[in-house]
Amino acid sequence: FFAIPANVPVTGEQFETSGAAISCQNMLELKKTEGIICLGEVMNYRQIIEENDSEVAKFIAQVHQEDPCYVLEGHCPQLKDAELARYLYLGIGSDHCEHDLEEIRQRFENGMFVQIQDMMMRQEILDFIRENNLYERFSFVTDDTFPDILTQKGHLDYLVRKAVAMGMRPEDAIYSATYTPAIRMRLTDRGLIAPGKIADFLLIDDPAKLNILQTYKRGKKVFDISETEPDQNIYSLGEQFENSVRIERPTEETFKVTIPGFDRRVLVRVMRIWRDTNKVMPTLVEMEVRDGILQWQKSGCALTMVFERHGKNGHIAYGFACGDCLKQGAVASSLSHDSHNLIVMGRNEADMKLAVDALIERQGGIIAVKDGEIKGLLELPVAGIMSNRSVEEAGRQFSAIRKAFDEQGYIHHNNVMNFCLLSLTCVAKLKLTDCGYLDTEMMKIRPLYEEIER
């Protein structure tokens, strides 16, 4: 099953350039398509709770008239109190974002369906669910599970095992990964093993260990651990999904940050990254301008750039990052949520150029470079966001990427994901798109630097 993309682009064409735009009419047509069962996460949460004429707001208004029970999925980090009430009033009934305990409590108290992903599996959150017997009102979900995790740890089965290890009964953890999400999506023909229900089930060795021995779909065996063989296929979705990285090769000058005017010191806006969260805090760092070029190399910050890669306008935006991020070399990705422009971060221009050149040549991917050498590369030639290799092969390549990020000093509980989210305009508080810095709370473009008052 699929969901209708609610926000393409996420927050509006004035803030970022995406490969396409989805209108209300597009959404209504998709709603009629077989296999599409809900509206995907409504991510422009700051805009949607105010009076607006966004395409998703038009769609929600029409759905309320024609199909008031249609499932509307949410994304509303940080919203509380009256703001959360306004969001819920629109009929958006779920949330899967990163929250503190008070935000989680308010969601449950207001009848929201809470979806817990890996980064939200904290002891106080699971204890709150257990102590208040909230199993009917939540489910486990996955979001952006990379191939190394899929192959090494698993999918929802990994979350079930983790929940059990954190004190949840196996019966409750399995229930919240099967039955409650089925009910949330109005799929009442499945989600449990019972007469009249679709025979989707697993054979396992132990409910707590949840090692999957066999998988059955509609009563037919589709997987047996004793019969599996490595997948060596190379897949293709056709030429229409290829050659999507439409960027002119940059020159050395491209990676110089120009600031007009006389030699001086300025306050540069910087994204501060913390290892335990995907929220990015803004800060100001003083840097020198000499001969019209920003001298950032000794600032303790990493240069970060976003290249518009859909061939629409050729925008290039400049920013900086500090904190628990890259300390050596460069990293780049054409997977950068959600408009998926090409993002690069580096400590020197030469490694940054090599990283960008390599992704243009390969038409997409995630790469780590150090001292002129590629340390890890996952090619993503399908629309610049998908591998054409098996999950096992993609997992091996991604493990090398993750290791390179670690070795180059990007310290984060999910460092590659955090890097790819630096352009996601619906997560607090400062993000970088091809249009520049966006203050995601005030929904305003912010300048790269401020002058120092003399």
Side-chain angles (χ1 to χ4, degrees):
F1 295 103
F2 301 89
I4 300 167
N7 299 94
V8 181
V10 175
T11 48
E13 292 175 307
Q14 70 272 37
F15 300 126
E16 57 187 323
T17 306
S18 61
I22 291 181
S23 67
C24 172
Q25 189 58 42
N26 295 149
M27 295 182 210
L28 291 169
E29 291 170 7
L30 285 168
K31 185 174 179 291
K32 301 173 186 176
T33 305
E34 183 180 358
I36 288 183
I37 58 173
C38 67
L39 178 67
E41 51 184 314
V42 179
M43 294 188 288
N44 61 338
Y45 61 99
R46 291 288 178 189
Q47 295 167 310
I48 201 74
I49 61 175
E50 306 294 341
E51 186 173 343
N52 70 95
D53 61 351
S54 67
E55 296 302 304
V56 69
K58 296 173 187 175
F59 175 81
I60 290 172
Q62 189 153 339
V63 166
H64 281 328
Q65 297 294 321
E66 300 173 357
D67 192 357
C69 291
Y70 195 67
V71 177
L72 308 178
E73 290 285 272
H75 170 117
C76 56
Q78 296 188 299
L79 289 191
K80 292 193 297 187
D81 305 321
E83 289 183 331
L84 178 61
R86 287 199 292 270
Y87 193 77
L88 286 164
Y89 184 75
L90 295 168
I92 306 168
S94 71
D95 188 19
H96 67 278
C97 294
E98 181 182 0
H99 296 292
D100 61 32
L101 185 57
E102 174 60 18
E103 291 167 358
I104 287 289
R105 184 186 64 79
Q106 288 198 20
R107 278 152 180 75
F108 277 118
E109 288 186 350
N110 284 283
M112 209 170 200
F113 189 82
V114 177
Q115 296 155 330
I116 302 292
Q117 56 174 302
D118 188 18
M119 69 177 179
M120 278 302 295
M121 292 186 69
R122 301 197 296 265
Q123 195 64 55
E124 70 270 19
I125 302 293
L126 294 190
D127 288 347
F128 181 80
I129 290 170
R130 288 192 297 116
E131 291 164 5
N132 292 281
N133 197 30
L134 293 167
Y135 299 107
E136 303 294 336
R137 299 301 311 156
F138 98 100
S139 74
F140 292 113
V141 298
T142 60
D143 192 8
D144 298 297
T145 303
F146 284 125
D148 60 335
I149 299 298
L150 280 174
T151 54
Q152 296 167 18
K153 296 183 177 180
H155 193 233
L156 282 173
D157 55 320
Y158 163 57
L159 300 191
V160 170
R161 287 192 293 271
K162 186 174 179 178
V164 172
M166 295 174 70
M168 188 173 285
R169 293 194 316 157
E171 302 95 315
D172 295 328
I174 293 170
Y175 185 83
S176 300
T178 56
Y179 181 71
T180 57
I183 296 304
R184 165 65 189 163
M185 289 296 156
R186 311 291 196 265
L187 298 172
T188 56
D189 59 350
R190 71 198 68 207
L192 70 162
I193 300 173
K197 305 299 182 182
I198 292 175
D200 295 348
F201 59 91
L202 309 173
L203 297 185
I204 60 176
D205 57 356
D206 181 310
K209 296 178 180 178
L210 208 73
N211 293 317
I212 298 168
L213 306 179
Q214 293 180 345
T215 303
Y216 287 77
K217 177 64 185 170
R218 296 183 178 269
K220 295 182 179 180
K221 184 171 68 174
V222 295
F223 167 81
D224 189 312
I225 195 169
S226 66
E227 300 172 359
T228 58
E229 295 182 0
D231 180 0
Q232 304 293 339
N233 292 327
I234 297 177
Y235 297 88
S236 174
L237 293 180
E239 293 183 1
Q240 70 182 104
F241 297 103
E242 298 172 357
N243 300 313
S244 65
V245 180
R246 304 184 180 101
I247 301 172
E248 290 188 14
R249 283 187 178 271
T251 66
E252 293 180 0
E253 293 298 313
T254 307
F255 296 90
K256 297 187 183 302
V257 184
T258 59
I259 293 182
F262 56 91
D263 290 359
R264 63 199 187 281
R265 298 186 72 81
V266 295
L267 292 174
V268 177
R269 193 164 271 105
V270 176
M271 300 177 286
R272 179 171 290 279
I273 294 170
W274 303 96
R275 66 186 64 193
D276 295 323
T277 179
N278 286 323
K279 297 172 185 175
V280 176
M281 305 301 292
T283 189
L284 293 172
V285 175
E286 190 172 318
M287 299 185 197
E288 181 184 2
V289 179
R290 189 188 311 148
D291 298 327
I293 304 297
L294 189 65
Q295 308 298 305
W296 60 270
Q297 289 81 354
K298 295 182 180 180
S299 67
C301 301
L303 174 61
T304 307
M305 299 166 60
V306 175
F307 292 75
E308 186 276 314
R309 64 103 164 169
H310 304 289
K312 290 192 168 184
N313 52 43
H315 284 170
I316 301 174
Y318 298 83
F320 290 90
C322 68
D324 296 326
C325 64
L326 196 72
K327 303 299 186 296
Q328 303 173 61
V331 293
S333 177
S334 58
L335 174 81
S336 61
H337 292 353
D338 262 334
S339 287
H340 298 294
N341 288 303
L342 193 152
I343 185 169
V344 59
M345 177 188 292
R347 290 288 180 161
N348 67 81
E349 295 96 326
D351 282 345
M352 293 177 73
K353 184 178 186 307
L354 174 57
V356 173
D357 284 344
L359 294 193
I360 294 173
E361 180 181 334
R362 291 163 175 82
Q363 284 299 293
I366 307 173
I367 191 171
V369 174
K370 182 184 173 186
D371 298 330
E373 182 181 347
I374 294 176
K375 297 296 186 179
L377 171 64
L378 172 64
E379 296 186 13
L380 301 174
V382 183
I385 60 174
M386 293 176 66
S387 173
N388 59 358
R389 305 301 177 112
S390 69
V391 67
E392 292 83 7
E393 177 60 25
R396 284 190 289 271
Q397 294 177 10
F398 196 90
S399 290
I401 293 283
R402 201 185 292 274
K403 180 182 178 183
F405 269 62
D406 286 336
E407 292 177 347
Q408 291 172 220
Y410 205 124
I411 307 302
H412 191 276
H413 73 272
N414 193 351
N415 48 23
V416 183
M417 185 78 260
N418 178 260
F419 173 64
C420 294
L421 292 176
L422 293 180
S423 285
L424 184 56
T425 56
C426 59
V427 176
K429 291 187 176 180
L430 183 68
K431 294 301 176 84
L432 184 68
T433 77
D434 68 297
C435 295
Y437 275 133
L438 178 65
D439 179 333
T440 64
E441 295 194 322
M442 301 301 294
M443 297 310 300
K444 291 183 178 180
I445 295 291
R446 300 297 187 189
L448 173 62
Y449 67 95
E450 307 280 357
E451 297 289 352
I452 298 175
E453 294 185 9
R454 302 295 180 185

